[in-house]
Amino acid sequence: MRRRLLTPCVAAVLAGVTSLPAAAQPSGDTTVTFTVSTSNLTIEVPASDNLGSAFPGQTITGQMGTVTVMDQRAAANATWTASVVSTQFDTGTDEAAEVILPNLVTYWSGQATATTGSGTFVPGQPTRGDRVSLNQPRTAFSKTSGSGNNSASWNPTLEITIPQDAVGGLYHGTVTHSVA
């Protein structure tokens, strides 16, 4: 009889052991990671612009429309320089009297019309007195300090001197803005 009594006691003890709660750890670490996404440095310009009309020997002036640099690189050193240059303006021929050379095309950026982000935004030509000829690449605008995403917009002005011997007609050329 003793054996029969011992077996149920051992079974009861073993059943109690398996139902004891697990010991909890006092703390636990989880390594968490994520990525801050980056994108590109881009520039948006007006598709076209019509400055109107003027006679030979006159100067025609007009704003081009808003140019915007968007820096989505999320860089620690988020600096950039926007450049501008012009082709010749012509009526579709290369006859001397129907060509206005890029040295007769001047540009000034003016001040920023809008900026976002931190840092220093610098206009290439803040005023008309600072205007430059577009016969070679010129700095239109720049960002010289700061970090993270940012943007700058400006509405540059073109001034084109029409030669005295220019032939009447519709002249077209290309003003190219780029950013790096």
Side-chain angles (χ1 to χ4, degrees), residues 79-152:
T79 61
W80 48 260
T81 299
S83 300
V84 61
V85 68
S86 179
T87 64
Q88 70 183 22
F89 284 75
D90 59 50
T91 61
T93 72
D94 283 332
E95 297 295 322
E98 296 181 53
V99 173
I100 299 174
L101 297 173
N103 64 315
L104 298 175
V105 179
T106 59
Y107 174 101
W108 69 95
S109 60
Q111 298 291 334
T113 56
T115 61
T116 64
S118 66
T120 305
F121 297 92
V122 181
Q125 307 77 30
T127 68
R128 182 179 184 273
D130 301 313
R131 69 189 181 280
V132 292
S133 168
L134 293 184
N135 61 335
Q136 62 184 2
R138 306 292 186 165
T139 297
F141 226 91
S142 60
K143 183 170 181 282
T144 59
S145 68
S147 62
N149 290 347
N150 62 84
S151 68

Side-chain angles (χ1 to χ4, degrees), residues 14-84:
L14 289 176
V17 169
T18 58
S19 65
L20 292 176
Q25 296 292 328
S27 66
D29 296 333
T30 301
T31 301
V32 177
T33 63
F34 64 92
T35 301
V36 174
S37 298
T38 64
S39 189
N40 298 317
L41 177 63
T42 60
I43 191 164
E44 292 180 358
V45 299
S48 64
D49 185 30
N50 184 331
L51 296 180
S53 62
F55 292 102
Q58 292 183 330
T59 299
I60 191 164
T61 303
Q63 289 188 296
M64 292 182 62
T66 302
V67 175
T68 301
V69 170
M70 290 175 293
D71 185 354
Q72 302 277 309
R73 298 173 297 171
N77 183 17
T79 61
W80 48 260
T81 299
S83 300
V84 61

